Each structure stands twice: as structure tokens, then as C-alpha cells.
Amino acid sequence: MTLRYALATALDQHSRDYEIVVSDNASEDGTRAVVEGFADDRIVYVHTGRRLSMCDNYEFALNHARGEYVIIIGDDDAVMPGGLDFLLSRLRQTREPMIYMWPLHTYDWPGEGQAARIAHLAPQGEETTLDLKAMARNVMQLGGWRYYRLPSPYHCAVPRSILTAIAARTGRVFHSTQPDVFTAMALPVYADRAVKLERTVTLHGRSPASNGRDFTKRKARANIDKFIREYGDYKFHSSLFPGVAASANMIPDAILRAKDMFPELYGDIPFDYSAMWAYVCRHRFASATQVLLNAKAIKQAHPMTVTRFLRYAAVHQIAGIRRHVLDALAALRTPGPAPETIGDFVRLLDREAGRSIGNKTQ
């Protein structure tokens, strides 16, 4: 079970001025026993009582949180040693509520015949300030591409007051099947800026059961289908083409729902469906051949031009190659093979960061 490592890293902090809410979504893997094994009063265990969709589970957990800031991580994710100490010291310097994000590493857990892998090492750098409204409007113009550059409560620190404002406006905080994507598009409505910190606080782990790991494989597609079924009779945005796998419509649906809910920010920005299809194909939720063969039917659902789609598809192919090269080069800078657990991985990163600082001061 990955949860014990996530909790161990979250507790590896000097501060006690935070809480860890563990929302047990009707699991059958001993979650409660793992939590009780830590015997730490910083952990709050809650049980949903029945299996909920991801959005409902997020909402349930948020309703049990008491802090002024909220960070959501998964049970296969981790926190850097002293990461929350660093973040809390930064929050205490803030005079007004501010969204904080940070460079996000990605670690792939071993399993199903695959060794552990360092999927992405995010560069650490200087603190920067982001123009959220401009970035969010650009996401619309790119058909959803680069939404992940925007902050959401997933691996970012978001003021509770902003989440409360979203709920007051829309009836709840999390919408669609992709709560992180929806909130990434909703937060810019209530915040002009976000601060990207210079060092990692939490990091992303992908276990074999994760939807985000190797989702082009057959087993991962089955996980995604099961995930969507938990939403019952959920209907995707009416402008989306229904003749593809549900996975192809998940991200665009979340973005289009935010567009409909917040016309003051997105009303005059057209969503580029041609660019959307190129982004969908980059993730292999659909193929370029499938899009071209269904172009006539797709155009009946929403605007799309083949030439524009192909132009964006070429851009995404180049961007994908560049990302693979950068990740491979970053992995080469890590000594030895990837550790077998995310807990060992964060300790390795912490030691390497310490060595780097030591070398700079010599």
C-alpha cells in the first residue's frame, strides 16, 4: 500500500501547525489500520460510508478540513522532507490570501513487471509570479492544452476563502469528472495572481492503479472506464463529439463547464476545438486517423477544420519529443536507479539538494 509512504512523508516535518485529512473512500485495503498505526494527532481519518466519485470524495474531504489553506494529494503521492515547514514559513509572510504552487516532480511506482522510474524532475529555480487570468484564457484558445500550468488544489496551496467563493457561486467546489482541471480553470476567476515557489513541496506519484500512469495501455483504460462509471449517468458537455472513448472528452468537458459557469472571464474567448483534438491525440485518447475519418460527424457537434487540427497535431508531436528528451536528460542527473518507494525517492532528492547547496557555498 502506497498510503503509508504518503503519510510518512507528510509527517516528516518539524511543524505541527497543519492537519492531514485522510478520506477513506469505502476502500477495502486496510486504510484505517494504516492511519491508526501512525498514532499521530495531526492525522484526521474520515470515512465516506459508501463509494463516491472523485469529485464527491474531494468535496467530502474538503468539508472535513479546518485549515485556511488546502492542498490535495493522492495516496501514491508524497511530501518533501521539511516541505510543509518551508511552505508554512512562506505563508506566514503573506499579508493577503495567495495561491502557491511549486515545481512538481513525477515518480512512477514499480509494479506489473515495470521497475520504479523517475518520470519527470522539475527544475528548481527562482520564485515567480503568474498572471492567472491571461494563462487561463490562453488555455481556452489552445483547446485545453497547458491547463496543467495553472494551479488547482491538487499539489498547490489554495486559500480556503477562494474555494468557498466557488462553492457559493456554483453550489459546490468540484465539478465534472476532472476536479483538478475544473478548479484550475475556476481559480483564475477569483485570483489574478499565483506564486510559483522556487522549491518542491509535494510531488506526484503514479502507482500501477493510477489513471495517470501509462493510460494508453489496456489495463489503464479499464481503470478510466471504471472511474467514469462512478459518476453514474454523468453527461459530457453537449458540444463534445460522443463517438469517441469517454477518456477523450474528460479534460475538454471540465474546461468547457468552467467556460459556461464563468462568462465574465471566458465569455469572449472561443474554445478551439481543432486544437483540442490535437491535444486529445497527443494523449492517445483518440488517433489522428480516427479524427480524420470522423471529421464530417465531428463538425456537426462543434467547429473543427482539418488543416488547423493537423497544424496543431504537428506542434504537439514536436512538444512531445521535446518533453521526452528533457525528462531523459533530467533522469540521467539522478545517481543510480530510481528508489523502490516514493519515500526513499524524496529522501534522495533532499540529500541531492543539500549537496547542491553545500557546493554553492564552498
Side-chain angles (χ1 to χ4, degrees):
M1 175 187 281
T2 58
L3 175 62
R4 62 173 54 92
Y5 298 99
L7 289 176
T9 62
L11 294 170
D12 188 14
Q13 320 290 323
H14 293 295
S15 176
R16 301 191 65 83
D17 190 18
Y18 66 96
E19 66 175 3
I20 305 166
V21 177
V22 178
S23 180
D24 185 344
N25 191 13
S27 66
E28 298 178 351
D29 55 5
T31 294
R32 182 166 195 151
V34 170
V35 172
E36 292 176 346
F38 282 93
D40 193 305
D41 61 9
R42 285 175 290 183
I43 305 178
V44 177
Y45 172 86
V46 293
H47 194 286
T48 59
R50 62 183 178 86
R51 185 69 181 179
L52 301 178
S53 68
M54 181 183 288
C55 270
D56 286 344
N57 189 28
Y58 275 30
E59 205 84 30
F60 177 82
L62 178 62
N63 289 336
H64 286 84
R66 297 170 296 172
E68 295 179 15
Y69 280 80
V70 174
I71 304 171
I72 296 175
I73 67 171
D75 62 359
D76 53 2
D77 298 330
V79 182
M80 286 294 294
L84 295 180
D85 297 327
F86 163 70
L87 177 62
L88 287 167
S89 68
R90 187 67 177 80
L91 294 180
R92 293 185 185 105
Q93 301 170 24
T94 304
R95 296 182 178 179
E96 60 183 30
M98 176 65 68
I99 299 171
Y100 288 92
M101 57 192 308
W102 42 82
L104 191 62
H105 308 306
T106 303
Y107 169 85
D108 283 348
W109 285 84
E112 298 183 340
Q114 294 187 16
R117 185 172 74 101
I118 301 169
H120 176 63
L121 279 180
Q124 311 288 289
E126 296 184 359
E127 182 177 300
T128 57
T129 301
L130 307 178
D131 182 341
L132 294 186
K133 284 181 169 54
M135 291 173 64
R137 289 162 69 92
N138 185 242
V139 169
M140 288 290 172
Q141 295 170 325
L142 294 174
W145 185 25
R146 295 179 175 170
Y147 78 85
Y148 47 82
R149 294 186 177 182
L150 290 164
S152 81
Y154 188 56
H155 289 292
C156 298
V158 177
R160 181 64 173 265
S161 58
I162 295 180
L163 301 178
T164 300
I166 295 173
R169 167 83 172 267
T170 69
R172 56 184 294 158
V173 176
F174 303 106
H175 296 263
S176 81
T177 66
Q178 307 297 299
D180 56 329
V181 181
F182 173 82
T183 49
M185 302 304 295
L187 293 180
V189 178
Y190 297 92
D192 295 332
R193 298 174 295 118
V195 172
K196 186 170 184 178
L197 300 171
E198 69 272 19
R199 58 181 274 194
T200 296
V201 176
T202 66
L203 60 149
H204 185 37
R206 301 188 298 192
S207 66
S210 168
N211 290 336
R213 178 175 176 180
D214 298 333
F215 48 64
T216 61
K217 295 187 176 180
R218 184 176 299 176
K219 185 178 186 303
R221 288 296 180 89
N223 287 342
I224 291 174
D225 290 341
K226 179 182 177 182
F227 162 79
I228 292 177
R229 285 198 298 271
E230 292 178 345
Y231 285 85
D233 60 352
Y234 182 85
K235 304 297 183 184
F236 288 115
H237 194 272
S238 60
S239 70
L240 293 173
F241 177 59
V244 288
S247 55
N249 285 329
M250 293 188 304
I251 293 174
D253 171 69
I255 294 170
L256 287 166
R257 290 191 181 281
K259 177 176 170 58
D260 289 347
M261 289 183 188
F262 305 110
E264 67 270 35
L265 181 58
Y266 301 119
D268 61 336
I269 303 294
F271 182 81
D272 193 326
Y273 290 92
S274 301
M276 176 202 78
W277 281 111
Y279 187 50
V280 166
C281 289
R282 177 175 174 176
H283 284 297
R284 301 184 185 179
F285 290 133
S287 68
T289 299
Q290 187 178 10
V291 173
L292 294 174
L293 290 176
N294 288 280
K296 184 176 180 180
I298 289 172
K299 291 177 182 179
Q300 293 177 357
H302 53 242
M304 196 274 284
T305 64
V306 170
T307 54
R308 191 172 181 83
F309 159 68
L310 292 174
R311 186 161 63 247
Y312 270 105
V315 170
H316 277 291
Q317 185 174 20
I318 295 170
I321 293 171
R322 178 178 178 274
R323 170 49 56 200
H324 285 306
V325 171
L326 291 175
D327 287 347
L329 291 174
L332 289 174
R333 294 196 296 270
T334 303
E340 290 297 298
T341 74
I342 202 167
D344 290 334
F345 179 52
V346 297
R347 286 189 287 273
L348 172 63
L349 291 175
D350 191 49
R351 288 195 300 270
E352 289 301 307
R355 290 193 186 102
S356 176
I357 292 172
N359 291 335
K360 290 179 181 178
T361 57
Q362 288 177 1

